[in-house]
Amino acid sequence: EGKMYGLKFNENWYILGESDGTTKGSDGELIPPFVLVAYKGHTLQGNYEGSFVYAKEPKLPAAAIPAVREAAAKAGLDFSQFTRIDNTCPTDTKPLNDVSAGTGTSTTDWVDLVVGPGGVIDWVFPGWRGEYKS
């Protein structure tokens, strides 16, 4: 059981399959390291569930996919329905927290959003800076 933003949630995580990199597949080749995880949870808004694969590479190695697919199928999951997340760090763009990037996500923008007039903190704790004192 956990609590986030004042709301309670219950969540269970399960390891459905894994390789430490020393496991051999049916072809006799080593299966690259991976961990296939599933989770099920509940909040006041209802139930939710999902799954994902941890890998030591930015992209799941092709040699691991048969083992992941097999572990997923044993748990009733269709690996072909998984979507790849791009975890690479682009080198051809400015960081999102760079004011000149124009993304609206610079540290300065974030501070203004959180603590500026009408910002999140002001909304949660009105008058925290003392400007509403009578």
Side-chain angles (χ1 to χ4, degrees):
E1 182 173 294
K3 195 171 188 179
M4 184 182 297
Y5 306 115
L7 299 174
K8 288 184 180 180
F9 65 91
N10 291 299
E11 196 168 87
N12 293 303
W13 288 42
Y14 308 91
I15 295 177
L16 304 178
E18 63 185 324
S19 170
D20 63 3
T22 63
T23 308
K24 290 187 179 182
S26 58
D27 60 1
E29 296 294 319
L30 291 177
I31 300 170
F34 77 88
V35 179
L36 174 61
V37 177
Y39 57 89
K40 292 184 177 218
H42 175 77
T43 68
L44 291 175
Q45 294 177 320
N47 297 326
Y48 59 92
E49 60 184 17
S51 58
F52 55 88
V53 180
Y54 285 119
K56 291 188 174 187
E57 312 272 334
K59 183 177 178 184
L60 181 65
I65 292 176
V68 173
R69 186 180 307 279
E70 181 181 344
K74 285 180 182 177
L77 301 172
D78 180 0
F79 182 72
S80 69
Q81 298 297 308
F82 283 49
T83 301
R84 182 176 175 263
I85 297 172
D86 184 355
N87 285 321
T88 58
C89 296
T91 58
D92 59 343
T93 60
K94 293 182 179 181
L96 291 177
N97 64 350
D98 184 330
V99 174
S100 65
T103 59
T105 58
S106 73
T107 303
T108 304
D109 294 337
W110 183 82
V111 169
D112 287 344
L113 169 69
V114 174
V115 300
V120 175
I121 292 176
D122 197 39
W123 180 68
V124 176
F125 298 106
W128 71 279
R129 291 173 291 194
E131 73 272 29
Y132 299 122
K133 290 183 179 175
S134 50

